[in-house]
Structure formats: C-alpha cells, structure tokens
Amino acid sequence: MEIVNANVATLCNYEVMTHLQKMKDTRKKQTGQLATITYETIRYLEGTPCQTYTSNNVIECLKALEQFNITKNEKLMIINIPPTTALEIQLIVEESEERLTEQHVEEILKICAKYLNVTPKNNDDVEEG
Amino acid sequence: MFILAEMKHVTRIPPELFHLKLNEAIAGELNKKLANKVVLNVGLCIALYDITNLQESFIIPGDGASHTQVTFRYIVFKPFIEEILMGKIRSCSQEGVHISLGFFDDIIIPPTALQHPSRFDETEQAWIWEYDTGDGSKHDLFMDAGETIRFRVTGEIFQETCPAGPSLAETTENSENKIPYMLYGSINEPGLGLLSWWDN
C-alpha cells in the first residue's frame, strides 16, 4: 500500500457523521472492525452539536463567517464545537484580542446561535471562570 | 479532527467475491484491511470515503484471484496540533489524565499540562485543580472519570508496532504494549478542562 497524500482535505464532524450514517443505511450488514469503528464514531458524533446540523446551515454559517479575519482551521473548530461564550472564541481563535474586536466576537456568537442551534450564554466576566 | 487521506493499493479479490460488483468487492476489502487501524504517520482509519481511480484487473499465474490497482480516499482521524476537542475522562493516574473519545482512547494530558496548581489524590484516584478563589483560600476542583472535558491537542506520537524479528525475541513482550498512535493534550488555559468549571 502506498500513501499518495496523507491529507487531501479536512472533513468536519458533520460530513463524517452523514457519510457513516449513509454507509450504515445502504450497505448490507457490516462486519468486524468496520462495524465497531463506525458504531463508536457515530455514537461519539451524535453526542456533539453536529447532530442537529443540516448541510445548508453549515454552508450559510461558513458564508457568514467569511467577513471575519479567521483561518480555515479556526472556522472548522467553530463548526465542530460551536462557541457559546466569548471565552470559547478566545480559545479557538489564536490571539483573538488583537484580531477580533468585541463587536466581532458578539457577531460570531450570534452567527453560531443562528445557524448551529446553540444558545449563547451571556457571561461577561470572562477572566473570572 | 477528521481528514481524507489518498492511498493507492493493489487489492486482491478472491474468487468467492466475483459475484459482487467490482466496486463493492473492493470497498469491502479495503474496509476489511484498514477500518479501525492506525497507519503510521497518517492516523486512525475510520471508513472508506470514495474510490477515485480503478485500473485494469489482472490475474497472477497460480492464483484464481483478481488483482486491481485502486486509488481511494479514506476517512482518517487525525486532529491537527492546537485543535480543541471534547472527550470524556477515562481515568486518572500519576502519569496524568487519560481521555477517551469513544472510538479513540490513547489520549493523555501530562501533569505539567494541567491547570496550575494541580495535585493527584491517591485515595480518590483523581487529579484535583486547587483553584485559587482570590481571597487566599483554595477550592478543590475534582477531575472524576466519566466527566466531559475540553482540551487542546499539543502533540502526537506514532510508533511502529511491527512484530520484532527473531533475534529480538526477548523484547517481543514490550512490542505488544506499544501504542501505535498517541495524542498529548493540555488544559492549562482558561476555558479548558471540565465543562462545568466554566459555565457560570
């Protein structure tokens, strides 16, 4: 076996979940290791917010995020673990204080709430924890 | 946390699978070969994504099976460094906090990457963050097994787990305990750690 390219593309959790579910539904009975890993992965993914997504939502959300100065990987993390507080955006976006204004952070939270079905929590005292 | 890896492989389809469509037979064989396995420096293979190229099949003298060179893309679990992931605490030990994602268990947060200051409680078998409340007193925050935890991936180590040759017969026991793909995490930033620590 030869590895042509170890990283052709990055998939978000939602894409993996839909692919695995489609496989589970169409293929005949899966056996062995494949059955184990698909079962465990689907179970993990169903515990994440991506269970409630639709592909339209994800596309619209990415379009809405385009206006901000954030990288592809940061967008991927926003889709996979949608932030609900300003603190979580700080974690996802490196040096967010310099790259995003408070207003931007507010807007990102609103976009996540709108497209990714999470409810933002309003805690302003970020440093307190 | 998931990527697509493109690979090339000569797949052997045994005669008993000739009644299937070639694509299906190949997909089945590739999944049998790769699912739930770690490929060195690639990651943990989950499932076949698609087949991008099929070349002519050929038969090798003395073997009834057909051999087909196939290029395909496979879904692989390989978080990038600095990615934030959610998992469940599997257990705590002196070496740190062990985390499981359900389908992947080899994640550890070493003691140096825990919130500071933390200590290990032998009787409870749990790490405890001695949270400074600001007025001089400390509040113990336990990291119990089963809790959901958010962490940052800080490193990965791949290990060759091929069986050792006969000359190294004495050391073969070690190779069985080798972990092919190990992830290192950290939670020493505000916002990381148990989810309950951060929702007010």
Side-chain angles (χ1 to χ4, degrees):
Chain A
M1 198 178 69
E2 184 190 332
I3 291 139
V4 182
N5 185 346
N7 192 351
V8 193
T10 319
L11 296 176
C12 74
N13 288 359
Y14 174 71
E15 288 170 291
V16 175
M17 193 180 72
T18 43
H19 184 83
L20 292 181
Q21 279 171 343
K22 216 172 20 180
M23 262 177 61
K24 206 177 75 176
D25 295 340
T26 53
R27 288 259 172 83
K28 301 140 276 147
K29 204 91 183 89
Q30 288 171 4
T31 48
Q33 293 294 323
L34 181 67
T36 314
I37 193 77
T38 45
Y39 170 75
E40 285 175 341
T41 313
I42 289 178
R43 214 174 59 159
Y44 172 78
L45 291 175
E46 280 176 348
T48 63
C50 75
Q51 203 208 349
T52 59
Y53 295 179
T54 62
S55 47
N56 260 349
N57 275 357
V58 176
I59 293 166
E60 291 293 319
C61 180
L62 281 174
K63 273 187 195 151
L65 289 172
E66 246 166 40
Q67 51 174 309
F68 305 106
N69 173 25
I70 48 179
T71 65
K72 204 176 136 196
N73 276 348
E74 287 161 353
K75 280 183 213 159
L76 178 77
M77 281 197 270
I78 290 181
I79 300 283
N80 280 348
I81 39 165
T84 52
T85 60
L87 177 64
E88 287 172 40
I89 293 193
Q90 255 183 46
L91 277 177
I92 292 172
V93 182
E94 220 176 306
E95 298 184 0
S96 62
E97 290 97 333
E98 284 156 39
R99 290 166 52 200
L100 300 170
T101 64
E102 265 178 48
Q103 208 188 343
H104 285 158
V105 172
E106 283 292 310
E107 279 173 43
I108 296 179
L109 289 177
K110 269 190 207 139
I111 291 169
C112 291
K114 187 175 170 198
Y115 297 111
L116 306 177
N117 304 319
V118 288
T119 33
K121 295 170 202 141
N122 278 326
N123 54 341
D124 296 317
D125 46 349
V126 167
E127 264 72 52
E128 291 287 311
Chain B
M1 61 199 271
F2 296 101
I3 58 167
L4 280 184
E6 193 176 9
M7 298 184 244
K8 222 194 249 175
H9 183 60
V10 177
T11 314
R12 178 178 182 273
I13 306 294
E16 62 264 32
L17 297 178
F18 282 174
H19 67 285
L20 294 173
K21 272 194 195 149
L22 184 62
N23 280 22
E24 272 172 40
I26 285 177
E29 289 299 296
L30 290 175
N31 276 329
K32 208 193 276 173
K33 182 183 163 70
L34 286 168
N36 210 2
K37 302 249 176 15
V38 170
V39 175
L40 195 69
N41 296 327
V42 175
L44 173 71
C45 294
I46 308 283
L48 182 72
Y49 189 74
D50 58 3
I51 293 172
T52 51
N53 187 19
L54 271 180
Q55 293 193 352
E56 261 171 51
S57 305
F58 48 91
I59 299 169
I60 295 171
D63 185 3
S66 81
H67 298 252
T68 314
Q69 168 131 305
V70 47
T71 314
F72 58 98
R73 296 192 291 177
Y74 217 85
I75 301 175
V76 173
F77 168 74
K78 187 184 194 243
F80 55 87
I81 304 300
E82 298 287 297
E83 182 164 355
I84 311 252
L85 295 181
M86 310 266 258
K88 283 208 160 63
I89 298 181
R90 193 157 55 101
S91 64
C92 289
S93 72
Q94 288 287 7
E95 285 89 60
V97 179
H98 305 266
I99 295 175
S100 165
L101 297 184
F103 58 95
F104 185 77
D105 287 337
D106 299 318
I107 306 172
I108 190 167
I109 301 176
T112 48
L114 296 172
Q115 296 278 8
H116 189 76
S118 291
R119 69 182 153 85
F120 184 64
D121 190 314
E122 285 288 347
T123 48
E124 296 274 349
Q125 287 293 309
W127 279 90
I128 297 160
W129 178 22
E130 298 172 328
Y131 178 66
D132 192 342
T133 46
D135 51 9
S137 59
K138 276 181 192 160
H139 184 63
D140 281 354
L141 292 168
F142 282 75
M143 302 181 66
D144 292 317
E147 298 264 17
T148 307
I149 187 170
R150 179 162 49 215
F151 61 98
R152 190 185 287 283
V153 178
T154 53
E156 58 181 16
I157 288 184
F158 283 97
Q159 258 183 58
E160 185 71 70
T161 49
C162 281
S167 60
L168 300 161
E170 299 109 55
T171 57
T172 44
E173 273 168 47
N174 298 339
S175 72
E176 271 164 37
N177 306 330
K178 264 197 203 164
I179 296 162
Y181 180 34
M182 182 92 193
L183 285 176
Y184 291 87
S186 84
I187 55 165
N188 53 4
E189 277 173 72
L192 295 180
L194 300 200
L195 296 191
S196 52
W197 294 352
W198 303 102
D199 33 75
N200 299 15

